[in-house]
Amino acid sequence: MDNIINVTYITFGGHVEVHKYRYLYFVIMFTVYVLIIISNLTIVYIIVIHKSLHEPMYIFIAALLINSVLFSTAIYPKLLIDFLSEKQIISYSACLLQWFTYYSLCCSDFFLLSVMAYDRYVSICNPLQYQTIMRKTTVYILLISAWILPACQVSVPMLLSANKKICNFHLKGILCNSTVHELHCVRSRMLNFYGLVVFVSAVLLPVLFILFTYTRILVVTYRCQGVRRKAAQTCLPHLLVLISFSCLSAYDVLLARLEFDFLKTLRLIMALQVVIYHPLLNPIIYGLKMRGIHEHLKRLFCKMV
């Protein structure tokens, strides 16, 4: 009977003194989760109700913030349950589902950021063709692709992992990330190779595309001083989000491969930063740096006060 339970459930070993600080962990993370939901959906609400913000740039921002809400909802409820539970366990199927949503939504963020970079590139470098290129149909296709393509890419290793035999039932982290492959009895070269393909296509290429487009924008703004202010107002928030998300993603990839036991506390801190900073900073950055959103946000708060 114990063997059946072990085969079915995976234990999280990344929590630090959870029995001692369970209620403190719960209160902090529950507060953060509520702040993430409220702040992101507030910006989305502002974009939806104001027709002046029904432009591709703001639509993509709303999609990115919705993605943050979905990402947090895939992570936080399970974390909160674990903080109050005697054992921090998860079924293997649920672990694969969390792994799938975690990485598909992360990849969606990179796709959305690349789409936003392309939108800014067309707007600043080819303003006369902007309305022709960024039509509603184009915007919808880009949005749908940003969610469907990563989901299709990540679903392949998830389905392959579902049929693999597992011999290890202990994860060093607090959620199901790329360390799930360490549970398998035999490491698959095909999964490793496909993971590399997904990384290149869903992360590396979008980042290179973003850097290319913003380099072109910098060249144009350097030549034309009148465009410089517009570029700074609209591109700076996207760059800040890209830098923060890329750094956190790098932390996630590195921590998944660290084997040192004395880094358990550091591993927990960095894992929490991955799931806290990006979803919480996005609405702050866009709420403060995007003038169109900032003005409506101030009016909303004035009405509430």
Side-chain angles (χ1 to χ4, degrees):
M1 184 66 181
D2 292 336
N3 292 332
I4 296 176
I5 294 176
N6 287 335
V7 171
T8 306
Y9 291 96
I10 307 300
T11 302
F12 290 122
H15 296 275
V16 178
E17 297 192 29
V18 66
H19 298 291
K20 185 177 180 180
Y21 301 108
R22 65 170 71 249
Y23 296 111
L24 178 61
Y25 286 151
F26 180 87
V27 171
I28 292 175
M29 296 305 292
F30 180 76
T31 303
V32 171
Y33 182 48
V34 172
L35 289 175
I36 289 173
I37 298 297
I38 293 176
S39 58
N40 281 277
L41 292 185
T42 298
I43 303 298
V44 173
Y45 171 76
I46 289 174
I47 294 174
V48 170
I49 65 172
H50 292 96
K51 292 184 178 180
S52 60
L53 301 181
H54 291 181
E55 300 177 4
M57 176 178 63
Y58 295 108
I59 293 174
F60 294 140
I61 291 174
L64 188 69
L65 299 182
I66 292 174
N67 211 54
S68 295
V69 172
L70 295 174
F71 174 82
S72 301
T73 303
I75 302 299
Y76 277 82
K78 175 56 181 171
L79 273 180
L80 295 174
I81 293 173
D82 284 342
F83 290 144
L84 298 181
S85 302
E86 290 297 324
K87 295 182 179 180
Q88 291 73 46
I89 60 176
I90 186 173
S91 66
Y92 183 59
S93 58
C95 187
L96 289 178
L97 180 61
Q98 186 184 67
W99 178 86
F100 168 76
T101 54
Y102 181 91
Y103 283 107
S104 63
L105 292 174
C106 283
C107 292
S108 293
D109 271 356
F110 280 108
F111 275 99
L112 288 171
L113 288 171
S114 63
V115 168
M116 293 161 73
Y118 176 71
D119 174 75
R120 292 300 84 206
Y121 170 78
V122 176
S123 175
I124 295 171
C125 299
N126 298 290
L128 298 179
Q129 301 178 8
Y130 181 77
Q131 296 297 332
T132 303
I133 296 175
M134 299 303 295
R135 295 175 296 177
K136 285 186 177 181
T137 304
T138 305
V139 172
Y140 293 148
I141 292 175
L142 292 174
L143 284 177
I144 295 172
S145 300
W147 274 304
I148 291 181
L149 290 179
C152 292
Q153 289 178 314
V154 178
S155 64
V156 174
M158 183 196 68
L159 294 175
L160 292 176
S161 297
N163 295 323
K164 291 186 70 66
K165 184 180 180 180
I166 58 175
C167 295
N168 181 24
F169 309 102
H170 183 272
L171 286 175
K172 293 183 178 180
I174 59 174
L175 51 86
C176 295
N177 52 17
S178 58
T179 54
V180 168
H181 297 309
E182 297 178 1
L183 302 176
H184 300 157
C185 298
V186 179
R187 299 292 294 271
S188 172
R189 291 184 178 180
M190 183 174 65
L191 280 176
N192 290 335
F193 176 76
Y194 187 81
L196 179 62
V197 173
V198 172
F199 174 78
V200 171
S201 62
V203 177
L204 186 58
L205 289 181
V207 170
L208 292 177
F209 175 77
I210 293 169
L211 294 177
F212 169 77
T213 54
Y214 281 121
T215 300
R216 294 291 301 167
I217 291 173
L218 287 175
V219 172
V220 172
T221 56
Y222 179 79
R223 296 174 180 174
C224 183
Q225 187 174 0
V227 186
R228 195 172 301 168
R229 180 176 297 180
K230 176 183 177 182
Q233 290 176 351
T234 60
C235 295
L236 182 59
H238 303 327
L239 283 174
L240 292 175
V241 171
L242 174 66
I243 293 171
S244 65
F245 186 58
S246 297
C247 291
L248 293 174
S249 299
Y251 280 130
D252 177 72
V253 173
L254 292 175
L255 285 174
R257 287 156 176 78
L258 290 177
E259 299 294 338
F260 302 106
D261 293 334
F262 67 85
L263 290 175
K264 185 176 181 179
T265 302
L266 177 61
R267 187 190 298 271
L268 174 64
I269 294 173
M270 295 310 302
L272 291 177
Q273 288 182 351
V274 170
V275 299
I276 290 176
Y277 282 172
H278 185 61
L280 198 56
L281 283 179
N282 280 359
I284 295 176
I285 291 175
Y286 289 118
L288 294 178
K289 295 297 183 180
M290 300 297 292
R291 177 175 295 182
I293 297 176
H294 184 64
E295 293 298 324
H296 290 295
L297 195 59
K298 287 196 300 184
R299 295 174 188 172
L300 178 63
F301 281 127
C302 289
K303 291 180 180 179
M304 294 175 62
V305 174

